[in-house]
Amino acid sequence: MTVNQMERKKVTIHITNVIRQMDAEEKSDMSVSGVFYRDKGNRYLHYEEKQLAGTIRTVLKIADNELLLMRSGAVNMRMHFFRDNRRSTASVDSGAGKLQLESELVSMEELYENKPDVLSEVAFQYDLLSHGEYIGSYTVLMKIEEDAE
């Protein structure tokens, strides 16, 4: 293990998603097991979720100036967000074809309450656009608890 790399810690992640599109709002909650670690100054969360369509593997990479959300399996998605609110390309493929969208980070916050080396919460909000037209706003709250060993 290098100086910049910390050990992988098993965690439980409680995820709340809020989707706002037009005049509708949809909220979902789930808990999954995962892994948290740091490498070269970046923070990573890895987890899998089981859905009717199949398993989705998710990697969330948090860097000082950006956030990268990658999902693979039943849904393939890559969203790259920048803290300076710069728009970036997002791709989503849920089996019906690949969509190219734009994403823009609205806000992002990390908390380290329990121990300084384990992330206890990450929250971010982003907007999705298609050809410059607003589609919706998405809020993700992840509460992370280190598993007892």
Side-chain angles (χ1 to χ4, degrees), residues 5 11 18 22 25 28 33-34 37 43 45 60 63 77 80 85 93-95 108 114 122 127 147:
Q5 184 177 3
V11 295
V18 179
M22 305 200 13
E25 180 175 294
S28 65
S33 294
Y37 66 95
R43 285 83 62 207
L45 273 175
L60 180 68
M77 178 188 328
H80 202 168
N85 295 339
D93 186 350
S94 59
M108 183 181 145
N114 303 328
V122 63
D127 291 339
D147 289 349

Side-chain angles (χ1 to χ4, degrees), residues 30-126:
M30 75 171 128
S31 291
V32 295
S33 294
V35 175
F36 171 77
Y37 66 95
R38 293 175 183 254
D39 188 22
K40 298 178 182 158
N42 299 314
R43 285 83 62 207
Y44 294 88
L45 273 175
H46 287 237
Y47 62 90
E48 286 188 0
E49 57 188 275
K50 308 258 190 257
Q51 296 190 356
L52 291 175
T55 300
I56 302 170
R57 291 170 299 285
T58 300
V59 176
L60 180 68
K61 175 185 174 187
I62 305 165
D64 291 338
N65 295 313
E66 61 189 293
L67 179 74
L68 179 61
L69 178 64
M70 298 176 291
R71 303 180 86 195
S72 62
V75 171
N76 293 298
M77 178 188 328
R78 180 180 171 87
M79 294 186 167
H80 202 168
F81 305 103
F82 299 92
R83 288 190 192 254
D84 65 3
N85 295 339
R86 181 170 31 119
R87 285 187 186 169
S88 64
T89 302
S91 64
V92 179
D93 186 350
S94 59
K98 191 173 189 176
L99 293 172
Q100 292 292 333
L101 304 168
E102 296 172 280
S103 61
E104 185 174 319
L105 187 66
V106 175
S107 64
M108 183 181 145
E109 185 176 356
E110 296 172 78
L111 295 175
Y112 296 84
E113 291 180 3
N114 303 328
K115 298 179 183 178
D117 60 337
V118 178
L119 183 64
S120 61
E121 188 173 296
V122 63
F124 57 98
Q125 180 182 350
Y126 61 94

